Amino acid sequence: MSFTNSAARLWVLVDCNNFYASCERLFRPDLARAPIVVLSNNDGCIVSRSIEAKALGIGMVPEFFIRPLLRQHKVAVFSSNYALYGDISSRVMRSLESIAPVVEAYSIDEAFLPIAQDLDDAGAIALGKALKRRVTQWTGIPVSVGIGTTRTLAKLAAEQAKKETGVYLARADTSATAALLKKTEVGDIWGIGRKMALKLRCHGIHTAQDLREAENGLILSLVTVAGLHTALELRGIPCLGRELPVPRRTLVSSRSFGQAVSDKGALLQAASLHAVKAAERLREECLEGTAVSVHIRTSRHAERVYSAESVVALPFPSAATDIVMAAARQGIEGIFREGHRYAKVGITIFGLKEADQPSLLDLLPVPGAGAKSLDLTGAVPHTQKNRRQESKDLMAALDSINRRYGQDTLRYGACGQKTEIWHMRQQHRSPRYTTNWNELPRAR
Amino acid sequence: MPVRPVLLSPVSAGFPSPAEEYTDQNLNLHEHLVRNEAATFFVRASGDSMIDAGIHDGDLLIVDRSLEARHGHVVIASVQGEFTVKFLMRKQGRVLLVPANNAYRPLDVSQQEDASVWGVVTYVIHKFGSQAMGACRL
């Protein structure tokens, strides 16, 4: 369900601070002020850092690059605990829903809230503070709140809020906003990717303010309609409809049913549709996901309240519709219960990564066949030179994958088959405090 | 001979009872115990510091973060990096975490910066094991 832009006077973006790290800290009071890092799937790169870890200069790098530094500073290292993050995320969203009538979950840790009333500055800031207080009180997760005339301005405001007071208002027509836009590099604008930013900079457009003031015709020629929409949004003209830019690390597709649904088939269908849409978006952006979570719930006011979530790891990183859909459907099968009137279903795709890295998994022989069946399909003719280059590329890809996902992730068929080609490593996963009876937090 | 109708059940004069509006339904314990799903968490009790209040080792505590912690509430607090379950008492400007077991002493946290209330315990769920009969007075 996409909110009609014309009815929203202001947009609010609620953005959780260092979300994964904050989730880990919630049940570890001993880490209240400690440096914390959370690793991506397979314990590869650092994907979330607490403020203290950032202060140590730790970047979003592969963990093994800086293992000595992590040990030296006694940094708490965690593997991604998707079950926990998914559950906490839905609590954050529901906390927001207790105040705001419409909450559009955008990624696992961000939500847009359209505001229909005409609020003055004091009213807007008060709302922002109320939202912030509510989320932190109910869920323990610290958030930053950005408020703006459009979604794009709200997103910029949220970035500013993170650095400052926690709530920041950026109306399109104020000098404060103009000053903020002057400080913002064009590549840091939501919706402007690296390639777009490069083109803009070549034409003298370096800051968000430059983009805002540039001529429409020029913008269109450089960064197409999508870039033009962003420029319009910076000017205070809302024009992002259904197709919002894809978030960097998680993709959420969720909607409320007009009328409550009780039939499992209907839920499966809705989840499948979300999966199709989400997979398409991933492919458009050359991204792949590594796990899918589904979430279903009744209305809070239903006679029988029920909400459940399930995380399904994909067999390998993928943006293939059939794989994402199969995972989503499997998730629904696991959590559907008869007799409830469901109001909402959503899926979240976790662990997004760039898809342009060569995936040797596409080239591996079918399990059971030998190395000879390795088929380098493609239009490249098998000349000696090309084979050598292919071989080099193959080795480079093999090495980079083994380096990233761990030794022996990929082996030659001649060395013997492993039953699981891609096995997610999670050496430092915290307990599933909120989704597993055997892993509850304890209190003495 | 006139036929007089026989009433098989009593009829009360006036409006139907409001209680009849609620149809019978399966009693949902979760709904009864969890008033605010987003803010409610489950915590396992450890040890016997609150045994006199009916909280045993291994009991399940239902904790609501959205409730304002008041004097006399059982709370989950974080103290010196650990979760503890105690009575919250405010007395003469001091804040105390008080156990329900003579073997333990109350903790004055008024001056402790890193002590805070994590949530309010609304229910404790205790399962009777084979040892339960030990409390029997027969």
Side-chain angles (χ1 to χ4, degrees):
Chain A
M1 179 182 80
S2 180
F3 197 91
T4 49
N5 287 307
S6 54
R9 304 301 195 123
L10 277 180
W11 284 92
V12 176
L13 175 67
V14 177
D15 187 342
C16 299
N17 300 342
N18 315 316
F19 183 59
Y20 291 177
S22 296
C23 287
E24 296 295 348
R25 174 173 274 175
L26 182 55
F27 298 98
R28 292 288 303 273
D30 58 314
L31 298 178
R33 270 172 284 279
I36 297 172
V37 298
V38 179
L39 309 180
S40 66
N41 330 285
N42 248 15
D43 294 348
C45 288
I46 292 173
V47 290
S48 184
R49 302 155 293 169
S50 67
I51 301 180
E52 297 78 6
K54 285 181 184 171
L56 289 173
I58 295 172
M60 309 284 227
V61 295
E63 177 262 339
F64 66 82
F65 276 5
I66 54 165
R67 204 171 281 171
L69 180 70
L70 295 174
R71 261 195 220 122
Q72 180 197 347
H73 291 281
K74 298 202 178 60
V75 178
V77 178
F78 292 98
S79 306
S80 284
N81 186 343
Y82 291 140
L84 178 65
Y85 309 153
D87 179 76
I88 303 289
S89 173
S90 75
R91 289 165 184 271
V92 168
M93 301 305 167
R94 278 180 293 172
S95 301
L96 294 172
E97 281 166 15
S98 72
I99 295 183
V102 181
V103 174
E104 289 180 3
Y106 171 61
S107 69
I108 198 175
D109 63 350
E110 294 160 287
F112 283 105
L113 287 61
I115 304 298
Q117 306 103 286
D118 232 334
L119 291 174
D120 63 2
D121 286 8
I125 298 282
L127 173 64
K129 288 192 173 154
L131 291 166
K132 187 171 151 67
R133 241 189 336 258
R134 169 72 37 111
V135 173
T136 304
Q137 167 89 23
W138 284 21
T139 72
I141 302 296
V143 303
S144 302
V145 179
I147 310 172
T149 321
T150 59
R151 282 190 182 90
T152 306
L153 284 170
K155 198 118 186 3
L156 273 171
E159 297 294 314
Q160 198 59 26
K162 266 200 213 290
K163 297 176 194 159
E164 294 184 4
T165 51
V167 182
Y168 192 90
L169 172 64
R171 288 192 203 271
D173 47 2
T174 62
S175 54
T177 301
L180 176 61
L181 293 180
K182 277 197 196 106
K183 279 195 306 179
T184 304
E185 288 192 15
V186 84
D188 290 339
I189 304 171
W190 180 52
I192 302 289
R194 255 175 307 152
K195 293 189 186 133
M196 282 179 161
L198 198 61
K199 276 206 186 134
L200 290 170
R201 279 196 295 268
C202 286
H203 285 78
I205 299 173
H206 297 276
T207 68
Q209 180 72 342
D210 291 341
L211 178 62
R212 186 158 87 148
E213 291 176 343
E215 211 229 342
N216 287 354
L218 176 65
I219 299 173
L220 195 61
S221 69
L222 290 177
V223 288
T224 76
V225 161
L228 181 59
H229 281 167
T230 297
L232 289 171
E233 287 244 323
L234 289 174
R235 289 177 207 158
I237 303 164
C239 48
L240 291 182
R242 278 176 189 285
E243 295 309 310
L244 303 183
V246 175
R248 275 167 310 133
R249 240 168 269 122
T250 59
L251 175 57
V252 171
S253 181
S254 139
R255 71 180 272 260
S256 303
F257 295 115
Q259 275 197 318
V261 163
S262 296
D263 169 55
K264 178 157 93 162
L267 274 181
L268 282 170
Q269 200 177 59
S272 301
L273 285 171
H274 281 306
V276 168
K277 249 194 341 180
E280 264 171 28
R281 310 272 334 269
L282 288 184
R283 290 195 299 274
E284 270 168 40
E285 306 287 328
C286 295
L287 293 171
E288 285 168 343
T290 44
V292 173
S293 98
V294 283
H295 180 222
I296 57 177
R297 62 181 179 81
T298 62
S299 149
R300 276 186 313 142
H301 312 290
E303 263 175 36
R304 297 180 64 201
V305 170
Y306 175 68
S307 104
E309 191 190 337
S310 155
V311 182
V312 177
L314 299 184
F316 45 77
S318 175
T321 301
D322 57 337
I323 291 179
V324 174
M325 196 185 326
R329 292 176 76 93
Q330 188 186 328
I332 296 279
E333 293 286 351
I335 55 181
F336 175 81
R337 299 278 180 274
E338 283 290 346
H340 290 289
R341 303 182 66 241
Y342 295 96
K344 200 163 188 178
V345 64
I347 77 168
T348 301
I349 305 191
F350 286 89
L352 302 191
K353 54 177 272 293
E354 300 270 321
D356 55 13
Q357 273 143 25
S359 175
L360 264 192
L361 298 166
D362 298 334
L363 307 170
L364 281 180
V366 170
K372 281 199 194 120
S373 67
L374 190 64
D375 176 32
L376 297 171
T377 55
V380 179
H382 284 193
T383 63
Q384 188 72 306
K385 184 172 159 199
N386 284 336
R387 283 197 133 266
R388 216 175 324 143
Q389 187 56 40
E390 270 166 28
S391 176
K392 262 174 66 178
D393 292 342
L394 197 67
M395 289 307 107
L398 176 82
D399 289 342
S400 101
I401 287 178
N402 274 340
R403 214 176 13 242
R404 184 162 174 192
Y405 294 110
Q407 248 188 354
D408 288 352
T409 299
L410 293 173
R411 301 148 90 224
Y412 286 112
C415 299
Q417 286 289 347
K418 265 188 175 175
T419 44
E420 266 178 16
I421 292 169
W422 195 84
H423 180 67
M424 197 155 82
R425 187 159 46 208
Q426 285 185 310
Q427 283 193 337
H428 314 281
R429 207 208 64 205
S430 56
R432 287 165 293 185
Y433 297 109
T434 60
T435 55
N436 190 302
W437 288 113
N438 298 321
E439 300 182 15
L440 298 182
R442 307 183 77 93
R444 292 197 300 149
Chain B
M1 213 160 70
V3 175
R4 259 183 273 170
V6 175
L7 290 174
L8 292 171
S9 58
V11 173
S12 55
F15 296 98
S17 151
E20 277 151 33
E21 276 179 23
Y22 294 97
T23 52
D24 287 346
Q25 49 179 300
N26 286 335
L27 296 178
N28 184 327
L29 190 61
H30 181 89
E31 215 175 280
H32 179 74
L33 297 175
V34 178
R35 289 306 158 112
N36 185 346
E37 284 232 40
T40 300
F41 296 83
F42 300 147
V43 175
R44 207 46 93 178
S46 203
D48 58 358
S49 67
M50 291 289 278
I51 194 113
D52 296 340
I55 297 176
H56 307 71
D57 180 67
D59 283 356
L60 186 65
L61 304 170
I62 301 188
V63 184
D64 190 334
R65 286 183 61 101
S66 67
L67 299 177
E68 191 195 321
R70 291 207 173 90
H71 173 90
H73 275 162
V74 176
V75 299
I76 302 291
S78 75
V79 179
Q80 283 160 355
E82 255 196 354
F83 283 141
T84 182
V85 51
K86 297 287 176 291
F87 280 104
L88 177 73
M89 304 281 207
R90 297 189 212 272
K91 198 172 168 180
Q92 294 155 344
R94 296 187 300 157
V95 181
L96 303 163
L97 293 175
V98 182
N101 180 334
N102 289 330
Y104 294 78
R105 250 178 276 138
L107 188 63
D108 188 330
V109 291
S110 325
Q111 305 302 327
Q112 284 197 34
E113 280 199 358
D114 62 348
S116 62
V117 170
W118 198 90
V120 174
V121 180
T122 50
Y123 291 93
V124 55
I125 300 185
H126 175 74
K127 179 175 171 170
F128 289 127
S130 47
Q131 261 65 26
M133 211 168 66
C136 188
R137 298 268 178 267
L138 190 62

